[in-house]
């Protein structure tokens, strides 16, 4: 692939999320990830896409981070060498595997749980009725 990679370093996670959101909304780029840099709470935002889109995205992210007083540095690599490309893509695939969505329970299990809840509700209602009957008998005596 002959795409560009864009990097921005900012201070703090909240700023990184805000800048990443801006970068993805401005141009058609893929967010490769946000990772913690070494020291001082710096975060690195990585995006991938066409050269023009990445440049526009990085410029927008840079201006947003300057507004927030969190800008450290930025870089656009137009057509990274194969070794760099492998580094970025391998890390992004590992991150994707870690953040796979949690699969909800199967519908059958949900139905079984609903039936159990209904059974418990009916048991509670029956016990309340029995208490009312026994309380009424006791008060008559």
């Amino acid at each position: 692939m002959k795409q560009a990679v864009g990097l921005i370093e900012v201070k703090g996670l909240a700023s990184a999320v805000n800048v990443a959101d801006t970068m993805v909304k401005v141009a058609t780029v893929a967010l490769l990830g946000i990772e913690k840099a070494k020291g001082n709470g710096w975060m690195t935002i990585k995006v991938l896409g066409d050269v023009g889109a990445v440049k526009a995205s990085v410029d927008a992210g840079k201006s947003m981070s300057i507004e927030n007083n969190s800008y450290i540095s930025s870089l656009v690599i137009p057509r990274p060498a194969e070794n760099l490309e492998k580094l970025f893509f391998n890390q992004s695939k590992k991150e994707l595997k870690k953040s796979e969505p949690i699969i909800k329970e199967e519908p059958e299990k949900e139905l079984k749980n609903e039936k159990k809840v209904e059974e418990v509700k009916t048991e509670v209602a029956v016990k309340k009725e029995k208490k009312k009957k026994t309380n009424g008998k006791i008060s008559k005596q």
Side-chain angles (χ1 to χ4, degrees), residues 13-45:
L13 178 62
S15 296
V17 171
N18 189 19
V19 170
D21 180 53
T22 301
M23 291 173 72
V24 172
K25 286 180 180 177
V26 165
T28 308
V29 293
L31 181 65
L32 289 178
I34 299 173
E35 67 181 45
K36 189 165 58 169
K38 293 183 180 178
N40 297 330
W42 292 2
M43 305 295 286
T44 303
I45 306 156

Side-chain angles (χ1 to χ4, degrees), residues 77-94:
I77 304 172
R79 285 181 296 272
E82 289 183 26
N83 293 339
L84 283 177
E85 193 173 295
K86 288 176 185 176
L87 175 75
F88 283 112
F89 288 120
N90 287 340
Q91 285 182 350
S92 63
K93 286 179 184 177
K94 288 177 186 175

